[in-house]
Amino acid sequence: MTKDTAPVASEPIPVAPRGWSAKAMRALIVAAGICAAVVAGIGFVGSYTALQDLAIRRGFGDFAYVFPIGIDAGIIAMYALDLILVWRRMPKPMLRLIAHGLTLATIVFNAYSGDRAPREDPLGATMHAVMPVLFVAVVEAIRHLIIRTHRLVMTAESGRVPLHRWALAPIATWKLWRRMKLWEITSYPQMVAMERDRTVYRAWLQHKYGRGWRRKAGATALLPFTMAPYGLTVDQALVLPEEQKAAEAERAAAERERAAAAEAREEQRALEAEERTAAARVRRLEIAATVTTAEHRITAETTASEAESRAAGVAAKAEARAAEVTAAAEAEAAAHAAQLSAEAARRQAERDAQVAERAAERTERAERSAAEAEAEAREEAARRSAAEDHRATARATAEAEAKERSAAEDRRRAAEADRIAKEERRAAAAAVEAEAESVRRTAEHRAATEHAELAAQEAEDLARMPARERAERKVARMILAAWAALPADERPDRLEKSAVSLEEVGAALNVSRTIAGERRQAAMDLIAAGYTG
């Protein structure tokens, strides 16, 4: 053994007992059974007689005849019930204590059943008490044989500190028993192994560091002795710093995750605020688009009305101007005709009537032609002015129609934007409702699963099932819950154990991966046998 390696405690090599023949063993068992029956019978008869006489002397009356039977039957009943509960893996140490108490009472009663007190006649008292002691010894031997034959393990037995240890090392035993009770270590062999490992570790430190080993070893190496009052083993104490560092790292990681989650929530709130601001802005734009559309429509209508009014005014002015021109032309023509007539009459009087008449006719025709040409020219000018006014009216009408089309396009775009916004809002509301429905279903499924788990655990507690069977049923319920949680279209027709991973089983039961695999397979066997949780 080197100075840098801890010693390994060696286990004693079991030595096989010398072989016995089957006939000799059967003969020995028969002899032991016969002797035990004889001792029990003699002890019962002797105890009955002694207790009956004692009860009669003490004034029990007729009850003195059944009192000894009640005491001895109570001892047998308590021992029998203790063995039955041990066989069913439900030990009750109180029953054995009651049986021991009744046995002690029987011994005391038998010791005082003589004619003289035990102080006056110790030998007689011992003779009266020896048969009940033999009876108790026979019962204890039978109990030990049954326990070892069926390999029964009792928590009360394994957690009991032997009497010889109390006698040989009372102070150390008291400290050991105190640690067992304080930290609920129910196995005495486990506690002894812990003490042995700690003693071996102390010897190894002394060998490694020599004198002043406590000062040289350091606080970390002395952790097994510091943590001994708290029920930790040597290995658990030595890995404690690493576990604390890992726990601190986990706490730091958890704190970082919480900070990241808080930051994500804050960012989500900021995004929601921006979404609300954007929605308000879109709403304001929609209102502005509606107002702009109304203004364009009103402007177009006003422009059309003004164009119609201007066209009507221009037409009226053209008509009035044409009427004035016509009236002026007619008046001027009439005046000129009268003047020509007068001039022709005057000339006709001066010249020859025929020449004057022809000349007057020629002059009248020429003047008439000139007047007609001038009137036609004026009418043409009036028509050109009316055509120009009509073109202006057409241009105004076209501009009004273009504005109306632009306003209609704006209204269409605003309506399209409104429709898209409404569809987006409906889609967002549907998504929120779907998410809320999913959360509600998940919560209902989780609540139902937890309720079923609590009901199953209460049923198992009432049935007092072993820990292994409880673990298998718990894994079976986990598999059934995982299968039921799948959507109907994704749920396989056949239940598979892969619905729950080995890591989940190990985390739920706090066991290794190998044990988790065994528990999951056993759970699948339970489900195949008809277990439904």
Side-chain angles (χ1 to χ4, degrees):
M1 180 175 61
T2 63
K3 296 182 68 176
D4 296 331
T5 57
V8 179
S10 59
E11 297 292 338
I13 301 175
V15 179
R18 186 177 179 181
W20 292 75
S21 65
K23 292 183 179 180
M25 185 57 65
R26 282 197 295 269
L28 184 61
I29 292 174
V30 171
I34 293 173
C35 292
V38 171
V39 170
I42 294 174
F44 179 76
V45 173
S47 176
Y48 178 82
T49 305
L51 292 182
Q52 180 184 0
D53 294 339
L54 180 62
I56 290 174
R57 290 200 305 269
R58 294 292 178 176
F60 277 61
D62 294 337
F63 187 68
Y65 296 99
V66 296
F67 175 71
I69 299 176
I71 295 295
D72 294 336
I75 294 172
I76 297 173
M78 292 299 104
Y79 278 123
L81 289 174
D82 179 47
L83 291 175
I84 292 172
L85 291 178
V86 169
W87 175 66
R88 294 301 299 272
R89 303 295 195 278
M90 295 183 295
K92 190 70 175 177
M94 184 60 66
L95 297 177
R96 195 178 179 200
L97 292 177
I98 294 173
H100 288 340
L102 291 176
T103 303
L104 180 61
T106 302
I107 295 173
V108 173
F109 293 159
N110 278 274
Y112 279 90
S113 63
D115 295 335
R116 289 185 294 179
R119 292 181 180 179
E120 299 175 359
D121 188 9
L123 181 60
T126 304
M127 292 174 63
H128 278 284
V130 69
M131 293 308 296
V133 173
L134 288 176
F135 174 72
V136 172
V138 170
V139 173
E140 284 293 330
I142 296 173
R143 182 178 183 276
H144 183 75
L145 175 63
I146 293 174
I147 290 175
R148 296 304 178 187
T149 301
H150 295 279
R151 296 191 177 122
L152 300 178
V153 179
M154 294 188 304
T155 304
E157 283 293 315
S158 61
R160 195 159 57 94
V161 180
L163 294 178
H164 66 268
R165 188 179 182 93
W166 287 99
L168 296 176
I171 298 177
T173 304
W174 161 254
K175 293 180 180 179
L176 182 143
W177 179 82
R178 180 175 178 273
R179 284 198 294 271
M180 290 178 63
K181 297 303 179 183
L182 284 178
W183 303 106
E184 296 184 358
I185 301 176
T186 58
S187 175
Y188 169 72
Q190 177 186 353
M191 197 67 192
V192 170
M194 292 169 60
E195 291 294 326
R196 182 173 62 249
D197 293 342
R198 196 174 292 112
T199 303
V200 173
Y201 181 71
R202 181 186 290 107
W204 176 68
L205 289 179
Q206 292 174 352
H207 172 73
K208 181 179 179 180
Y209 296 104
R211 298 185 61 180
W213 61 274
R214 286 184 176 272
R215 176 173 48 82
K216 297 177 182 179
T220 303
L222 295 179
L223 274 177
F225 310 109
T226 305
M227 305 306 295
Y230 304 103
L232 268 67
T233 63
V234 174
D235 296 334
Q236 290 174 346
L238 290 177
V239 300
L240 189 60
E242 297 298 330
E243 291 180 352
Q244 293 299 320
K245 290 180 181 178
E248 185 177 358
E250 290 179 358
R251 287 193 294 270
E255 184 65 26
R256 288 194 297 271
E257 291 179 359
R258 284 194 295 271
E263 185 178 356
R265 288 194 297 270
E266 186 65 26
E267 185 176 357
Q268 182 64 27
R269 284 195 293 269
L271 290 176
E272 291 176 356
E274 291 179 1
E275 289 179 356
R276 289 193 296 270
T277 303
R281 184 178 179 184
V282 170
R283 183 59 181 164
R284 286 195 294 272
L285 290 176
E286 291 175 354
I287 295 173
T290 303
V291 172
T292 302
T293 302
E295 290 178 352
H296 284 315
R297 185 176 63 255
I298 294 171
T299 302
E301 292 176 355
T302 304
T303 303
S305 299
E306 291 177 355
E308 291 177 357
S309 299
R310 284 197 302 271
V314 169
K317 289 179 181 179
E319 291 177 358
R321 192 181 301 112
E324 290 177 359
V325 170
T326 304
E330 291 178 352
E332 187 177 356
H336 189 63
Q339 186 179 359
L340 289 177
S341 299
E343 183 66 20
R346 187 180 61 82
R347 287 179 179 181
Q348 187 176 10
E350 293 176 358
R351 293 186 298 269
D352 186 64
Q354 188 175 1
V355 174
E357 186 177 356
R358 289 196 296 269
E361 290 178 357
R362 287 194 298 269
T363 303
E364 185 179 359
R365 285 197 297 269
E367 290 178 358
R368 189 182 297 114
S369 298
E372 289 177 357
E374 185 178 358
E376 290 178 356
R378 291 179 181 178
E379 288 179 0
E380 182 65 23
R383 283 196 296 273
R384 284 197 298 270
S385 178
E388 185 67 25
D389 292 337
H390 182 70
R391 283 195 295 272
T393 302
R395 284 196 299 270
T397 304
E399 291 177 358
E401 291 177 353
K403 290 181 180 180
E404 178 64 24
R405 286 195 297 271
S406 177
E409 183 66 20
D410 293 338
R411 289 195 299 272
R412 187 188 64 79
R413 292 177 180 176
E416 183 67 18
D418 189 18
R419 184 184 61 80
I420 294 174
K422 289 181 179 179
E423 290 180 355
E424 291 178 352
R425 288 195 293 272
R426 283 198 296 271
V432 171
E433 291 179 358
E435 184 177 359
E437 181 67 18
S438 176
V439 171
R440 183 184 65 78
R441 291 181 179 176
T442 303
E444 291 179 353
H445 182 266
R446 186 183 299 110
T449 304
E450 292 176 355
H451 181 71
E453 181 68 19
L454 291 176
Q457 290 180 0
E458 292 177 358
E460 291 171 356
D461 291 338
L462 293 176
R464 296 180 179 271
M465 291 183 179
R468 180 187 179 93
E469 188 174 349
R470 288 189 179 188
E472 294 172 356
R473 287 174 175 260
K474 183 175 182 179
V475 176
R477 289 192 295 272
M478 290 172 61
I479 295 174
L480 291 172
W483 181 78
L486 293 174
D489 55 346
E490 299 180 3
R491 188 180 302 163
D493 297 334
R494 184 178 180 183
L495 189 62
E496 297 178 355
K497 63 182 180 181
S498 59
V500 177
S501 64
L502 293 178
E503 287 74 10
E504 294 175 346
V505 175
L509 303 181
N510 195 16
V511 296
S512 64
R513 186 180 180 88
T514 303
I515 302 298
E518 294 176 358
R519 297 294 183 269
R520 189 174 68 172
Q521 184 59 43
M524 288 299 298
D525 295 338
L526 276 176
I527 295 173
Y531 180 74
T532 58

